[in-house]
Amino acid sequence: MTSRARQGPGQDRGEPDGAGPVGADGAGADGAGAAVGFRLDRVSVNFGGTRRALSDVSLEIRPGEQVALIGPSGAGKTTALSVLGAALRADEGGVSIDGQDPWQLSGPALRALRARLFIAPQTPPLPARQRVVTAVLAGRLPHWSLAQALRSLALPADPELARQALARFSLQDKLWTRVDRLSGGERQRVSLARALVSGAAAFLIDEPLSALDPTLALQTLDVLAQTARDRGATLICSLHQVDLALDRFPRVIGLRDGNIVFDRAPAKVSGDDISRLYYNRDTGPAPGAEWTLETGAAPSPGRPSRCF
């Protein structure tokens, strides 16, 4: 199986400037600091029942790495992102974010750490009656006072910053549109534009392509990867599009039943690895898996990506 984990052309980073429009990447930088590293040491999470959402998981993600998490539904990808983002406390094991155990920090220190992380959930939490400009600028909330946040609700603090971020996803014409007038794919990209203005040192993105067509999916992944490279930020992304994970990320982690099945460079991920990851005990291999598994063919730019 071949891989073409891209390293796109470099761009100049923007200079720090509060919430103002800066830089070629069209997003504000706010001195969030160096990229964040993560470490899980035998972490387990149990939501009840007999099967753990994560079971004895150990991994290390270095600052600035770009990592894809793949695996069938219910494998533990979302739970892993929540633990890595200090949004969910593990039942067992150790968690280190930027060299710190988040659950041993004081309240202010934990909030400061979380302000350096941006978690984009599968379903964007965008109020239906809110304007897109306000929804995007909500990415600045961890860095604003209460008074600033309230003022921006009435009069958006920096529409140009929001417009620049939206333009990266070809949505600049939606700046003043209400969220409930957007399609599912547009809402998903608005949520990611929020990530661009956040100034975060690590992006934890959960299935960002579920509502996007193949062309928009490629554009979206490239924007996220390029932005992370330009800022030196860490990018961890869960995907169901296996071909894109192997094609666009230099490291792929396969999760199944809360366990890590493999963790390696895409070029070293075999058809057997994917078969073992997605094999359905009741129905057999995933539909269409034979094309990827048996031929090892790399995805062509014009071919829709396989989704599992």
Side-chain angles (χ1 to χ4, degrees), residues 35-38 59-68 201-203 228-229 232-237 249-253 263:
V36 175
F38 302 85
L59 64 86
E60 182 173 2
I61 296 174
R62 296 183 299 277
E65 268 199 284
Q66 297 193 4
V67 180
F203 302 118
R229 279 193 292 270
T234 308
L235 174 63
I236 308 171
C237 188
F249 286 83
R251 178 181 175 189
V252 179
I253 297 174
D263 177 358

Side-chain angles (χ1 to χ4, degrees), residues 150-174:
L150 292 175
R151 282 198 302 269
S152 190
L153 282 175
L155 182 64
D158 196 338
E160 179 58 19
L161 176 67
R163 189 200 65 78
Q164 289 184 14
L166 288 166
R168 300 294 305 279
F169 299 102
S170 304
L171 288 175
Q172 61 270 26
D173 60 328
K174 303 294 184 181

Side-chain angles (χ1 to χ4, degrees), residues 141-258:
L141 287 176
H143 311 287
W144 284 349
S145 67
L146 177 60
Q148 285 177 300
L150 292 175
R151 282 198 302 269
S152 190
L153 282 175
L155 182 64
D158 196 338
E160 179 58 19
L161 176 67
R163 189 200 65 78
Q164 289 184 14
L166 288 166
R168 300 294 305 279
F169 299 102
S170 304
L171 288 175
Q172 61 270 26
D173 60 328
K174 303 294 184 181
L175 183 66
W176 298 103
T177 302
R178 274 183 19 173
V179 167
D180 58 5
R181 307 289 173 83
L182 302 177
S183 69
E186 288 170 341
R187 293 188 191 197
Q188 206 160 37
R189 288 178 289 155
V190 165
S191 176
L192 298 177
R194 178 186 288 186
L196 266 56
V197 308
S198 71
F203 302 118
L204 297 93
I205 313 293
D206 196 7
E207 297 185 20
L209 312 180
S210 59
L212 304 183
D213 64 49
T215 299
L216 287 176
L218 288 172
Q219 177 200 32
T220 298
L221 271 190
D222 286 346
V223 168
L224 291 173
Q226 187 66 58
T227 299
R229 279 193 292 270
D230 289 343
R231 298 183 186 180
T234 308
L235 174 63
I236 308 171
C237 188
S238 74
L239 293 171
H240 278 302
Q241 292 80 0
V242 174
D243 291 349
L244 290 183
L246 297 175
D247 190 47
R248 288 302 201 268
F249 286 83
R251 178 181 175 189
V252 179
I253 297 174
L255 286 167
R256 181 185 174 99
D257 295 333

